[in-house]
Amino acid sequence: MDNILSGIKPTGQLTLGNYIGAIKNFVKVQNEGETFLFIADLHALTLPIEPNVLHDNSRDIAAYYLAAGLDPKKANIFLQSDVPAHSELAIILQNYLYMGELSRMTQFKDKSAKMKEEAIGLGLFAYPVLMAADIVLYDSKRIPVGEDQVQHVELARDLVKRFNNRYGDVLVMPKAEIAKVGARIMSLSDPTKKMSKSDPKGDIYLKDDLEVIRKKIMSAVTDMVGKVKYDPVNQPGVSNLMTIMSSLSGKSFDEIEKEFDGKGYGDFKRAVADVVCNELAPFKARYEEVIKSGLVDEVLSRGAKRANEIAEKTLKRVQKAVGLYSK
Ligand code: ATP
Ligand code: LTN
């Protein structure tokens, strides 16, 4: 069974996009191999964040992992910063990724677009180096992510190829896995933009009350076509709502189109809201239970213990390969 790894950065409140594009898939794969799910708190430092917000968000994501059904007996849940090998390996691997390729990363371009060059942190630029270290440390072949992260995983693949060509079979080749439906949930207020936790417009937060979620869906931007049809180019808003519905209900786009043939957007949105609320109601209740149980810190420390075991071995292997060892 292949190892599986993914992470979420604790930059803000988790969205429905994070849930559908990432967390739901983590729950599916945890039975299919040793799973490493971490909270990318070092990555969260690549843009300004208040210390208490970073601290609290990190624990909160762990609680959401548990509420979603991740079982700490099967999945190792931990903080990236609790495993020093992430940082140590990144320092080595940064020498095998190049400025040109890092500057072509879409996430870097998006996040730095409005910043003055003098104010762009080196960490933001080098983000994919640390991410490559995260990935290779656990010998993981499978990396479940949303669509926006595929480019970073591809870069990690390039790095593994480059590194292994130079030093032999040291690193395991990873591969991104994206959900068939829901790998890119769009903003409800601007369906041409990704729903993103650092851009509060048009987001559904997992923390939102169900009534608020319902209202947000009812006021989602649609179009003048008036037909429930999957056509992301001409009907991005409706197509996004169909994607949300399909990924949570298992219904195909065809089935949804037939079900709402001749019906208005009001009926359709009410049905989408029902599907979302039915999914999130028990999830939110479990989240409250997890918080009350006070188990999060214990889960994180157990996860870090196992993660350190594996990560240290890989780090040693890499250090040896490049010549950093004593006889
Ligand atoms: P930020 O706004 O801080 O960049 P984000 O909301 O984009 O964050 P990440 O922490 O970058 O979230 O992502 C965690 C996981 O959720 C990643 O696998 C990412 O691909 C996935 N993801 C994020 N947003 C979406 C979305 N709108 N649709 C599907 N998957 C998503
Ligand atoms: N870059 C990812 C978070 C992340 C990650 C990883 C995902 C950091 N390291 C390794 C998969 C594998 C993001 O922004 N969601």
Side-chain angles (χ1 to χ4, degrees), residues 6-23 26 47 107 111 127 144-150 182-187 194-199:
S6 198
I8 295 187
K9 50 179 191 293
T11 42
Q13 293 302 320
L14 291 181
T15 68
L16 188 64
N18 298 130
Y19 180 75
I20 293 176
I23 297 176
F26 299 168
L47 286 172
Q107 180 171 302
K111 303 243 180 225
Y127 185 108
V145 283
E147 206 171 270
D148 60 310
Q149 294 302 315
V150 172
R184 189 171 171 83
I185 300 296
M186 310 307 273
S187 152
K194 190 189 86 152
M195 187 183 282
S196 155
K197 62 175 130 59
S198 59
D199 177 12

Side-chain angles (χ1 to χ4, degrees), residues 5-9 38 40 43 80 107 127 131 134-135 143 145 149 152:
L5 167 128
S6 198
I8 295 187
K9 50 179 191 293
F38 65 99
H43 273 120
Q80 186 184 31
Q107 180 171 302
Y127 185 108
M131 182 157 162
D134 301 338
I135 290 175
I143 318 294
V145 283
Q149 294 302 315
H152 287 155

Side-chain angles (χ1 to χ4, degrees), residues 5-10 36-44 53-63 65 75-87 130 134 137-138 296-308 311:
L5 167 128
S6 198
I8 295 187
K9 50 179 191 293
F36 297 86
L37 293 174
F38 65 99
I39 292 122
D41 50 0
L42 293 170
H43 273 120
V53 174
L54 173 56
H55 177 274
D56 294 351
N57 281 350
S58 299
R59 273 84 196 154
D60 213 38
I61 293 184
Y65 278 169
N76 303 294
I77 298 173
F78 59 99
L79 298 177
Q80 186 184 31
S81 62
D82 275 343
V83 184
H86 288 252
S87 310
L130 179 58
D134 301 338
L137 270 178
Y138 301 94
V296 171
D297 282 325
E298 194 188 318
V299 167
L300 287 173
S301 87
R302 260 192 290 144
K305 192 161 173 275
R306 172 73 182 147
N308 270 302

